[in-house]
Amino acid sequence: MAKRPPAPQSVYRRQLAPRLKALREAIPGMTLAAVAEAVEITQGSLSRIETGQRGTTPILVKALLDHYGVTDPEVREDLLDLVRADNAQRNSWWRKYSALMAPTQYSGYVALESSATTLHSYEAQIIPGLLQTEDYARAVIGAMRLNLDAKSIEDLVEVRMRRQDLLESDEPPKLWAVIDEAALRRLRGTPALLEGQLRHLLEMSLRPNIVVQIAPFVIGLHPASYGSFMRMGFPDPTPAVVWVENLTRSVCLEAPEDVERYDEAFDHLRARALGPPETRARITEMIKEFRPSDREA
């Protein structure tokens, strides 16, 4: 059986882990084994904390800082703030949906998304989740998660709608979404659902923190033809990540060379896609196509 990939680290844990490791390694002879024995935890546990594979507590971090001789109050408080933030995020609103979200590590995605300052999305088959209406989200989740009952589908719809609160925050992230024309042409359902989703997309595209572009069929093949992805950027010094989702599991790519490849593909794609004004004109044309009165005339 294939080993399940590790859960993605929170933004705060990704900052904390290397700093704790650097403090230990700055002291000659300060091995994992020696520190673990001194603060009374296992060497394996300490190693996982230093790689961000597990969280920790303020009490343990204080013990580590004492052992490393870190007395600067600003440094100590900064590191402890990262611990508290990581713990708070693990107890966020989406925790009650963790069983539903576990198969594709969706909770890990939501945790990263909630802390991002920039979001670069390419969707080949569906409208991005942050730009979906409730009716469209229900149709998409029902079609993609055949194993779920009606209650579970409604729970995931609620998660998707609550994710969108991010765009209403005081400092919302900059969302740049490139959507393949196939995703728009794949819309099916009642005329109200279709028109409602397109009008919502048009409305969202007018917001100052959101850019929407359509990648039309005429551009042919392109570097993002491998499939959909989300690139998430964070405040310094946290490096960006790329999230790729498939049918049974998701992958969070953190290596700089991987992120650079996706950045290059996204830059090529948005350069060839319709510009924002042309995109809004195309969406408006499609609304007319789906409008019931126009079909019946």
Side-chain angles (χ1 to χ4, degrees):
M1 180 179 295
K3 183 179 179 181
R4 188 172 181 176
Q9 305 162 16
S10 81
V11 173
Y12 310 108
R13 198 181 302 176
R14 292 172 68 213
Q15 293 182 31
L16 175 68
R19 291 180 64 180
L20 289 177
K21 183 178 181 180
L23 287 172
R24 178 180 62 79
E25 292 183 338
I27 304 173
M30 192 69 76
T31 64
L32 278 170
V35 176
E37 182 178 0
V39 298
E40 299 183 340
I41 62 171
T42 67
Q43 182 176 335
S45 294
L46 181 58
S47 176
R48 288 191 291 275
I49 290 171
E50 288 192 357
T51 57
Q53 295 177 18
R54 64 164 289 178
T56 184
T57 65
I59 292 176
L60 178 55
V61 170
K62 287 178 182 178
L64 290 172
L65 295 177
D66 289 344
H67 191 64
Y68 300 152
V70 178
T71 58
D72 187 323
E74 290 188 6
V75 173
R76 291 176 68 95
E77 189 58 26
D78 189 35
L79 291 170
L80 290 169
D81 276 346
L82 291 175
V83 178
R84 298 183 192 107
D86 179 52
N87 290 338
Q89 192 171 68
R90 282 186 285 156
N91 293 310
S92 296
W93 61 263
W94 57 83
R95 184 179 182 183
K96 70 176 183 177
Y97 304 102
S98 58
L100 273 176
M101 300 164 80
T104 58
Q105 298 188 7
Y106 190 19
S107 58
Y109 173 87
V110 176
L112 292 172
E113 180 186 73
S114 69
S115 303
T117 54
T118 60
L119 299 164
H120 290 173
S121 168
Y122 169 61
E123 282 292 351
Q125 300 293 339
I126 61 174
I127 307 299
L130 289 174
L131 302 176
Q132 293 178 6
T133 64
E134 183 173 338
D135 287 341
Y136 178 80
R138 185 174 293 108
V140 167
I141 294 169
M144 295 178 68
R145 298 290 298 272
L146 298 176
N147 60 315
L148 299 182
D149 57 23
K151 173 63 167 58
S152 297
I153 291 173
E154 289 304 314
D155 285 344
L156 285 181
V157 170
E158 182 178 348
V159 171
R160 189 154 301 180
M161 294 301 101
R162 290 196 63 177
R163 280 174 49 205
Q164 296 178 6
D165 291 344
L166 181 68
L167 299 176
E168 307 289 344
S169 62
D170 293 336
E171 296 183 8
K174 178 75 171 182
L175 170 62
W176 195 311
V178 179
I179 308 171
D180 199 283
E181 185 176 352
L184 298 173
R185 296 294 177 185
R186 195 174 294 279
L187 287 171
R188 291 291 183 268
T190 65
L193 184 152
L194 304 177
E195 185 172 349
Q197 176 58 69
L198 289 175
R199 287 194 179 281
H200 181 67
L201 185 60
L202 187 61
E203 177 184 332
M204 298 296 284
S205 73
L206 294 170
R207 295 192 178 191
N209 63 309
I210 298 176
V211 175
V212 177
Q213 291 182 268
I214 292 175
F217 292 136
V218 294
I219 70 172
L221 298 174
H222 52 76
S225 296
Y226 286 100
S228 305
F229 62 88
M230 173 67 86
R231 189 264 199 198
M232 293 179 269
F234 308 97
D236 290 336
T238 307
V241 301
V242 172
W243 187 275
V244 181
E245 186 174 351
N246 59 39
L247 187 62
T248 58
R249 65 182 61 187
S250 301
V251 179
C252 183
L253 303 173
E254 301 182 72
E257 58 270 23
D258 291 335
V259 176
E260 289 173 8
R261 289 286 300 276
Y262 279 91
D263 283 342
E264 181 182 14
F266 192 77
D267 287 342
H268 276 277
L269 187 57
R270 61 183 171 181
R272 297 169 63 183
L274 297 178
E278 293 78 15
T279 290
R280 285 191 282 271
R282 180 66 63 87
I283 294 173
T284 300
E285 292 173 3
M286 295 184 69
I287 290 173
K288 294 178 180 178
E289 293 178 25
F290 289 131
R291 191 172 297 157
S293 58
D294 291 348
R295 295 203 310 271
E296 293 170 0

